[in-house]
């Protein structure tokens, strides 16, 4: 990744005149250093109307001194034009990234500290017609915003499945002539065979106790790293070493983990050609009249992994991980800077029931059709979803492994594409996402048959409002509680919909025992 500071140098090294501020040109847009770091300035033209309680800060990027990694608190120069108009209850429109309802304004040595909460886009813009056609999402022209590690970057998931009851299918490798399986091996096999459907790419994280996160801790609210442009490089998040991938042959992430005797290495990705996006957004009288977003170029889902344990049950891994890097491509329409952003999260759950087990496999599934939606106030949301899902590379056939106990893994991946305003975690505007999960399992080597099972689950969603995982909402509300602010909800009030695409299971060999 190339940082702006390392590339932009002054053209005037000598003389007495001050050097002009260096700028960077991406997609035909010139960024000052402040705009590159904090978002493009807002200069609405006469065709755009903002809500009455919106406070527009002229040259807002130049007024910023720092922000917190979570994007909630912006420290501003109190003498900058417009900053004195920022009051609790108003909506701050500072830059294309600095947007939100003000819940606190505090004077500090560093400047005016303004804390904001998410808003829907119609709370900011009441009149406007915006669109972009067939935009190529070339990573060389995209800005990488890295939030740094946040309290919700890596979250432990709740307990795995409980022992199966009499009505539950037998786990792989547990034929009826075997002695009854232990509860731990049954739980492991159930976890591995059935990938979790639903919109949260897996089980809900365990409830967060206030003792786990103290918003006042400086370490939890450090400023983020400086942005860069081009593709995101490798990053460490918790105990994971991650490498995001975008965009010429797909969008995804490579994972490496090695701790407590458990090792996992794999790649989760939406494969295809260079993504292209078309979108529109029309707001009139403070109401959303129509919106749409189409993302083309995706053609399939690819999962490959290798997992092993030396410790068995005690080393099993159950984590939700949100990648801190967001790739963003900016477009200014009507003086409003919109950012097309790509974000990712994933879940990993291993299910080893004995020591010295390993499991590896690869699967590739192709589909036709793009991702997208069309919305009008009269017809509601009409979603385009992947169709004709077929197996290109069988995970069941490629699966290998070994051990004395049942073994399995659940991997789930969520890719979201959004065009909107606001900082990465709280951006509002049209979005589409693709959620996939794969559960793979292999029975014990000591069973009568070595049964293998694979489950693939795919869903898609679309909308115009913001949407946050429940665990993020809980943590954000811990922060807002300090300011006696009204808690935020997990999603905005503008239309959204969730559509299942596929839930397919297969076993080998095709026998009553394995099913």
């Amino acid at each position: 990744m190339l940082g702006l500071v390392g590339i932009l140098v002054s053209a005037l090294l000598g003389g007495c005149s001050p050097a002009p501020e260096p700028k960077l040109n991406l997609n035909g847009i010139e960024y000052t250093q402040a705009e590159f770091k904090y978002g493009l300035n807002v200069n609405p033209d006469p065709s755009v109307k903002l809500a009455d309680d919106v406070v527009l800060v002229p040259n807002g990027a130049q007024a910023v001194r720092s922000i917190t990694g979570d994007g909630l608190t912006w420290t501003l120069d109190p003498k900058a034009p417009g900053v004195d108009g920022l009051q609790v209850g108003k909506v701050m429109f500072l830059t294309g990234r600095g947007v939100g309802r003000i819940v606190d304004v505090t004077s500090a040595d560093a400047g005016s500290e303004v804390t904001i909460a998410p808003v829907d886009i119609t709370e900011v813009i009441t009149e406007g017609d915006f669109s972009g056609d067939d935009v190529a999402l070339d990573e060389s022209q995209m800005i990488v915003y890295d939030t740094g590690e946040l309290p919700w970057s890596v979250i432990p998931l709740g307990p795995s499945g409980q022992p199966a009851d009499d009505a539950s299918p037998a786990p792989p490798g547990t034929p009826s002539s075997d002695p009854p399986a232990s509860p731990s091996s049954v739980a492991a096999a159930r976890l591995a065979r059935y990938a979790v459907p639903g919109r949260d790419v897996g089980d809900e994280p365990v409830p967060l106790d206030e003792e786990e996160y103290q918003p006042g801790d400086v370490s939890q609210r450090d400023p983020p790293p400086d942005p860069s442009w081009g593709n995101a490089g490798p990053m460490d998040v918790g105990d994971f070493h991650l490498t995001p991938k975008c965009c010429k042959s797909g969008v995804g992430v490579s994972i490496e983990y090695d701790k407590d005797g458990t090792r996992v290495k794999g790649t989760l990705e939406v494969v295809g050609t260079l993504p292209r996006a078309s979108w529109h957004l029309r707001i009139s009288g403070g109401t959303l009249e129509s919106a749409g977003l189409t993302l083309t170029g995706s053609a399939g889902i690819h999962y490959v992994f290798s997992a092993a344990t030396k410790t068995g049950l005690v080393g099993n891994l159950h984590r939700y991980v949100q990648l801190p890097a967001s790739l963003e491509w900016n477009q200014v329409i009507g003086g409003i800077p919109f950012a097309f952003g790509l974000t990712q999260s994933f879940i990993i759950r291993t299910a080893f029931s004995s020591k010295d087990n390993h499991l590896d496999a690869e699967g590739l599934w192709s589909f036709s059709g793009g991702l997208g939606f069309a919305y009008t106030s009269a017809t509601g949301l009409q979603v385009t979803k992947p169709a004709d899902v077929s197996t290109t590379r069988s995970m069941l056939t490629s699966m290998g492994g070994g051990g004395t106990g049942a073994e399995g893994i659940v991997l789930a991946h969520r890719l979201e594409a959004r065009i909107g305003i606001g900082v990465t975690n709280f951006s509002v505007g049209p979005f589409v996402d693709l959620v996939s999960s794969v559960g793979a399992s292999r029975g014990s080597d000591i069973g009568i048959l070595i049964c293998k099972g694979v489950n693939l689950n795919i869903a898609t969603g679309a909308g115009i409002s913001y949407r946050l995982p429940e665990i993020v909402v809980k943590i954000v509300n811990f922060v807002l509680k300090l300011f006696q602010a009204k808690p935020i909800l997990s999603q905005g009030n503008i239309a959204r919909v969730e559509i299942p695409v596929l839930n397919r299971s297969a076993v080998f060999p095709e026998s009553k025992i394995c099913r």
Side-chain angles (χ1 to χ4, degrees):
M1 295 189 299
L2 299 175
L4 180 65
V5 175
I7 297 298
L8 299 178
V9 295
S10 173
L12 301 175
L13 296 179
C16 299
S17 300
E21 182 180 5
K23 296 183 178 181
L24 174 69
N25 188 299
L26 291 173
N27 306 313
I29 300 173
E30 278 198 338
Y31 295 79
T32 65
Q33 293 187 52
E35 287 178 304
F36 185 80
K37 191 170 183 179
Y38 301 117
L40 287 165
N41 291 326
V42 185
N43 297 290
D45 66 28
S47 67
V48 176
K49 183 178 179 181
L50 304 182
D52 292 340
D53 60 353
V54 170
V55 179
L56 182 65
V57 179
N59 298 313
Q62 283 69 29
V64 183
R65 291 179 173 174
S66 68
I67 62 173
T68 53
D70 55 22
L72 293 175
T73 299
W74 296 68
T75 301
L76 310 178
D77 178 356
K79 296 181 180 179
V83 172
D84 58 355
L86 298 174
Q87 302 172 11
V88 173
K90 300 284 188 178
V91 173
M92 179 179 78
F93 203 174
L94 183 72
T95 68
R97 291 173 58 78
V99 184
R101 188 156 310 270
I102 301 169
V103 299
D104 187 72
V105 180
T106 303
S107 295
D109 292 342
S112 295
E113 296 181 350
V114 182
T115 300
I116 58 176
V119 290
D120 273 324
I121 197 164
T122 52
E123 296 178 74
V124 184
I125 300 169
T126 58
E127 300 282 346
D129 196 343
F130 314 94
S131 64
D133 295 322
D134 199 29
V135 177
L137 303 179
D138 182 352
E139 69 267 26
S140 67
Q141 298 293 299
M142 299 181 85
I143 302 176
V144 181
Y145 285 103
D146 186 345
T147 64
E149 193 163 329
L150 299 174
W152 57 77
S153 295
V154 181
I155 302 169
L157 294 176
S160 60
Q162 298 302 307
D165 56 33
D166 293 339
S168 300
T174 310
S176 57
S177 58
D178 277 2
S182 68
S184 59
S185 65
V186 174
R190 289 185 72 199
L191 167 65
R193 274 188 84 179
Y194 304 103
V196 182
R199 303 299 307 138
D200 288 325
V201 293
D203 289 336
E204 182 66 23
V206 295
L208 189 74
D209 189 286
E210 293 200 25
E211 295 300 321
E212 296 181 44
Y213 173 66
Q214 294 298 327
D217 292 348
V218 175
S219 61
Q220 299 285 11
R221 308 196 69 214
D222 284 342
D226 286 344
S228 58
W229 79 88
N231 215 335
M235 58 188 64
D236 292 319
V237 183
D239 297 314
F240 292 87
H241 183 69
L242 307 176
T243 305
K245 175 183 178 181
C246 185
C247 293
K248 293 180 180 178
S249 62
V251 183
V253 58
S254 293
I255 304 165
E256 293 183 35
Y257 176 93
D258 189 349
K259 188 178 180 182
D260 297 331
T262 296
R263 292 182 291 107
V264 179
K265 188 173 183 178
T267 298
L268 324 174
E269 60 182 332
V270 178
V271 296
T273 57
L274 184 70
R276 306 185 75 89
S278 296
W279 66 281
H280 76 276
L281 178 68
R282 179 177 296 166
I283 302 170
S284 179
T287 301
L288 180 70
E289 285 196 347
S290 65
L293 172 60
T294 301
L295 186 67
T296 59
S298 59
I301 296 168
H302 180 221
Y303 279 72
V304 57
F305 67 85
S306 176
T309 184
K310 291 186 177 298
T311 53
L313 283 169
V314 298
N316 274 327
L317 177 63
H318 311 291
R319 296 287 188 274
Y320 163 89
V321 181
Q322 179 175 307
L323 271 68
S326 171
L327 282 169
E328 299 187 8
W329 189 101
N330 285 313
Q331 189 171 13
V332 180
I333 302 173
I336 304 296
F338 289 86
F340 191 98
L342 297 172
T343 57
Q344 301 183 70
S345 59
F346 68 89
I347 274 177
I348 179 170
R349 306 191 69 152
T350 63
F352 293 109
S353 60
S354 64
K355 298 178 180 180
D356 299 317
N357 276 27
H358 70 279
L359 182 67
D360 54 80
E362 181 176 10
L364 176 62
W365 298 270
S366 61
F367 52 75
S368 61
L371 302 174
F373 76 94
Y375 170 86
T376 70
S377 55
T379 62
L381 275 167
Q382 306 294 321
V383 178
T384 301
K385 65 180 183 179
D388 304 320
V389 181
S390 61
T391 301
T392 303
R393 189 171 303 143
S394 170
M395 180 170 282
L396 202 60
T397 302
S398 70
M399 191 183 304
T404 58
E407 54 193 359
I409 192 168
V410 169
L411 295 166
H413 177 247
R414 179 175 187 256
L415 172 66
E416 179 183 283
R418 181 186 295 270
I419 179 79
I421 56 175
V423 76
T424 301
N425 293 299
F426 311 114
S427 176
V428 290
F431 77 88
V432 293
D433 68 7
L434 184 67
V435 179
S436 60
S437 60
V438 169
S441 63
R442 184 182 184 278
S444 167
D445 284 345
I446 61 175
I448 295 176
L449 289 177
I450 301 178
C451 299
K452 301 177 183 179
V454 173
N455 175 268
L456 172 67
N457 188 281
I458 303 173
T460 186
I464 303 97
S465 64
Y466 72 85
R467 178 183 181 276
L468 303 172
E470 289 294 339
I471 192 65
V472 176
V473 173
K474 291 178 182 179
I475 295 172
V476 169
N477 283 336
F478 279 145
V479 176
L480 299 182
K481 187 178 179 181
L482 291 176
F483 310 110
Q484 299 179 340
K486 181 181 178 181
I488 65 168
L489 302 175
S490 60
Q491 62 189 47
N493 296 316
I494 303 180
R496 62 185 313 276
V497 69
E498 301 156 359
I499 304 292
V501 176
L502 178 77
N503 192 349
R504 179 185 297 169
S505 297
V507 297
F508 180 84
E510 282 281 353
S511 68
K512 185 177 180 180
I513 291 175
C514 291
R515 287 203 171 274

